[in-house]
Amino acid sequence: MLEKQRHQLLLDILDEQQFASVNDLSSQLNASEATIRRDITKLAKQDQLRKIRGGAEVLNSSERRSRRPHLSGTAFLAAKEQRADVKRLLAKEAVKFCEDGEFIIINGGSSTYMMREFLAERHLNVLTNSFVLAQELAETSDNQITLPGGELYRKQGIILSAFENDTIQYYQASKMFMGTPGIGKFGVMESDPLLIQTEQKLKKQADQLIVLADSTKLGKRSNFILCPLSEVDVLITDSEADPELVKYFESENIQVILVDVNQPS
Amino acid sequence: MLEKQRHQLLLDILDEQQFASVNDLSSQLNASEATIRRDITKLAKQDQLRKIRGGAEVLNSSERRSRRPHLSGTAFLAAKEQRADVKRLLAKEAVKFCEDGEFIIINGGSSTYMMREFLAERHLNVLTNSFVLAQELAETSDNQITLPGGELYRKQGIILSAFENDTIQYYQASKMFMGTPGIGKFGVMESDPLLIQTEQKLKKQADQLIVLADSTKLGKRSNFILCPLSEVDVLITDSEADPELVKYFESENIQVILVDVNQPS
DNA sequence: ATAAATTTGATCAAAATTTAGCATATTGAT
DNA sequence: ATCAATATGCTAAATTTTGATCAAATTTAT
């Protein structure tokens, strides 16, 4: 059996049963114990599993090296599919807010990613933590692109850093655009704890915060509160939004833009 | 059987079973192992499969050649053409220097970009200011990727920042790889003034500096001196290098690796 | 604490795989 | 049909992986 293949199977086994002894693996993969030990050592070096006495142990997902959730691939584009048509309209409206030459920040996410289509023929200065958006804009537009430093998280297609990041700190934008899994009286939500810190750092550098959220997101809760409503300047949503909530947002001094979902596009 | 036909069948087999050993393929396609090896090498160069020890492995669809060339392709890819074969061999040698799990820095440029092919099956932690390299590695490999913050320069496919950049400062690497337009008694040269500052910052974070330069670059001058020879630890060049110069570099305590240019692969 | 049992890493020879060079066969162009 | 270019198969040498053995380290049982 090929080494690579054996490695793959070994990881598959671990995925299912959490732990595996050298002996188990040796018989399941019919390879000698010496070989299994070498495999484990190698895979441990690659951060694919944890070597423990007697065998190996799986890593929990946060430690694990993303097992090829491809950029531009599965996870990201799949999320993009949901209500893609509405998101596209919100994105279109968002881009209309910008004047050529303006400095803006675009936070990663499937809603804001849609802005790429409309940014193609614009000439803005864009700071974004979305690697995939940067990629698109670099290829299809003349916008000036700035990226924050950090590690690339393939699953989200985003660049994250634990450190204070000077590139962000020196960037001053008039507007920041972001999507959200939920927005309500409690504020703007975020489901991915990894993202919160970066988002808050980005938000500090912009004069105006513009949130994109289709009507199903209104009033929805999620894991974490990213910021209170008072920090939101504009909310772009669709015409099916609950009028009560819209009124409430407006009473909180938020400019609400309702995009007609039956618009021809 | 026609070569093209055999290639197609080979890929079909891989599609079905993920892995295939040279031996398997040889009997299934009745061709000698030598031929199968040559096929695999060729197809791997075309990014149709991944060459692994003992055989070949499928690429998941997003890695497949279907994708369009990244970043406008023009300037950057054109530069890539020159002496591409030699550069590829230098890159291969460079990757051999790395151990899985190691933290390395790769400076942008056409030589170092070639490392992507050989990094595909490795598991390293890579910090690079090359946006295009990051793109490739993100799509085709499991390496952990870190990017410095800054503006995206399309022509060079590179991220540059005028600011001190914490992402870089917190990164500690054992090796830094860089290409150069010229290296001689005066030191390592750089032609693009924009790059110098970033390169010097990156260099500070690595224990060892490894320079890739084909033999035509040896003794060549360019606009700027990036660093003196004393800071270079390893020079990877090809066997057509001027022996006098090689001797000189060695007398300066540089480990010189000569790659045989007549090597096939 | 001591002994027994287990696991580990190192070493080495055998087996498998890759590479390189050369001879032969096939193909395409004239 | 002939020549050149390319593709194929074979072999020997170099490299890598594997499995077996064993001493040292670690854990478990007494």
Side-chain angles (χ1 to χ4, degrees), chain A residues 7 32 46 119 134 140 190 243 255:
Chain A
H7 285 182
S32 75
Q46 300 175 2
L119 288 167
T140 65
E190 175 54 77
Q255 179 188 354

Side-chain angles (χ1 to χ4, degrees), chain A residues 2-6 8-9 42-43 45-48 64-74 113 125 127 131-132 134-154 159-161 163-171, chain B residues 17 19-22 50 52-57 60 62-63 68-72 99-103 120-125 131 134-135 137-154 159 161 163-167 169-171:
Chain A
L2 302 170
E3 183 191 33
K4 197 76 183 284
Q5 192 174 9
R6 204 176 49 237
Q8 192 58 60
L9 289 170
K42 213 175 215 175
L43 290 169
K45 255 197 199 167
Q46 300 175 2
D47 278 338
Q48 309 251 35
R64 196 180 322 177
R65 287 271 173 273
S66 44
R67 279 226 66 58
R68 289 190 185 284
H70 325 292
L71 272 191
S72 65
T74 54
Y113 178 71
N125 300 276
L127 169 68
F131 188 76
V132 285
Q135 230 171 302
E136 285 284 342
L137 291 180
E139 284 174 23
T140 65
S141 83
D142 287 331
N143 295 284
Q144 175 67 261
I145 301 162
T146 304
L147 294 163
E151 280 188 38
L152 180 53
Y153 282 72
R154 289 181 172 75
I159 300 165
L160 288 182
S161 168
F163 312 120
E164 288 304 311
N165 193 298
D166 288 309
T167 303
I168 294 181
Q169 281 166 10
Y170 287 114
Y171 198 90
Chain B
Q17 57 191 59
F19 293 95
S21 73
V22 173
R50 179 167 311 144
I52 59 177
R53 186 179 174 83
E57 177 186 19
N60 30 42
S62 68
E63 306 174 65
R68 65 209 129 114
H70 292 133
L71 258 204
S72 57
E99 304 258 343
D100 273 355
E102 208 172 350
F103 284 72
E121 44 210 304
R122 303 299 297 275
H123 293 80
L124 303 165
N125 301 277
F131 187 75
Q135 242 171 294
L137 290 180
E139 286 178 20
T140 66
S141 84
D142 284 333
N143 295 285
Q144 178 68 22
I145 300 162
T146 305
L147 294 164
E151 281 187 37
L152 179 54
Y153 283 72
R154 287 184 174 73
I159 301 165
S161 168
F163 312 120
E164 288 304 311
N165 193 298
D166 287 308
T167 303
Q169 281 166 10
Y170 287 113
Y171 199 89

Side-chain angles (χ1 to χ4, degrees), chain A residues 254-265:
Chain A
I254 297 174
Q255 179 188 354
V256 180
I257 310 276
L258 293 174
V259 178
D260 187 351
V261 286
N262 301 314
Q263 200 181 121
S265 128

Side-chain angles (χ1 to χ4, degrees), chain B residues 1-12:
Chain B
M1 171 162 4
L2 297 159
E3 183 189 31
K4 201 65 178 291
Q5 193 178 1
R6 202 176 50 238
H7 284 184
Q8 193 52 59
L9 289 171
L10 199 160
L11 290 171
D12 287 347

Side-chain angles (χ1 to χ4, degrees), chain A residues 1-238:
Chain A
M1 172 155 15
L2 302 170
E3 183 191 33
K4 197 76 183 284
Q5 192 174 9
R6 204 176 49 237
H7 285 182
Q8 192 58 60
L9 289 170
L10 199 159
L11 290 171
D12 287 347
I13 291 173
L14 264 194
D15 248 344
E16 283 193 19
Q17 58 192 58
Q18 227 86 352
F19 295 94
S21 73
V22 173
N23 196 283
D24 278 2
L25 291 168
S26 162
S27 54
Q28 283 200 58
L29 302 171
N30 31 265
S32 75
E33 299 206 347
T35 302
I36 297 297
R37 275 184 231 290
R38 277 185 283 245
D39 286 347
I40 291 177
T41 312
K42 213 175 215 175
L43 290 169
K45 255 197 199 167
Q46 300 175 2
D47 278 338
Q48 309 251 35
L49 50 72
R50 179 172 308 127
K51 187 171 191 265
I52 56 177
R53 188 177 176 81
E57 171 183 34
V58 281
L59 297 176
N60 45 41
S61 50
S62 66
E63 310 172 84
R64 196 180 322 177
R65 287 271 173 273
S66 44
R67 279 226 66 58
R68 289 190 185 284
H70 325 292
L71 272 191
S72 65
T74 54
F76 189 77
L77 292 183
K80 214 180 65 178
E81 292 312 330
Q82 284 200 302
R83 296 183 61 83
D85 45 343
V86 177
K87 285 182 178 174
R88 185 167 166 277
L89 292 175
L90 303 186
K92 186 176 178 183
E93 202 61 28
V95 174
K96 279 192 197 158
F97 260 79
C98 306
E99 304 259 340
D100 274 357
E102 209 171 352
F103 284 73
I104 65 170
I105 295 173
I106 302 181
N107 190 49
S110 54
S111 301
T112 49
Y113 178 71
M114 295 270 181
M115 292 171 72
R116 84 193 190 290
E117 178 184 343
F118 308 102
L119 288 167
E121 27 203 309
R122 304 299 295 274
H123 296 272
L124 302 165
N125 300 276
V126 180
L127 169 68
T128 181
N129 59 350
S130 167
F131 188 76
V132 285
L133 177 61
Q135 230 171 302
E136 285 284 342
L137 291 180
E139 284 174 23
T140 65
S141 83
D142 287 331
N143 295 284
Q144 175 67 261
I145 301 162
T146 304
L147 294 163
E151 280 188 38
L152 180 53
Y153 282 72
R154 289 181 172 75
K155 204 174 117 199
Q156 296 94 341
I158 270 187
I159 300 165
L160 288 182
S161 168
F163 312 120
E164 288 304 311
N165 193 298
D166 288 309
T167 303
I168 294 181
Q169 281 166 10
Y170 287 114
Y171 198 90
Q172 189 53 50
S174 50
K175 302 182 173 73
M176 165 163 172
F177 296 89
M178 62 175 296
T180 176
I183 177 170
K185 303 190 177 181
F186 33 84
V188 181
M189 311 293 301
E190 175 54 77
S191 55
D192 194 331
L194 284 171
L195 304 182
I196 293 187
Q197 212 187 348
T198 308
E199 286 169 352
Q200 287 177 337
K201 275 188 281 183
L202 287 173
K203 196 158 55 59
K204 277 199 200 126
Q205 309 304 124
D207 301 335
Q208 264 199 316
L209 178 60
I210 302 177
V211 176
L212 283 70
D214 68 74
S215 54
T216 65
K217 305 287 174 57
L218 271 46
K220 213 171 184 179
R221 283 182 173 279
S222 182
N223 310 19
F224 306 99
I225 295 183
L226 178 68
C227 72
L229 274 191
S230 59
E231 299 197 10
V232 179
D233 296 287
V234 181
L235 169 64
I236 302 179
T237 186
D238 62 83

Side-chain angles (χ1 to χ4, degrees), chain B residues 183-188 219 221 228-230 244-245 248-249 252:
Chain B
I183 177 170
K185 303 191 177 180
F186 33 85
V188 181
R221 284 180 173 283
L229 274 190
S230 59
E244 294 291 318
L245 270 171
Y248 179 77
F249 288 135
E252 290 284 310

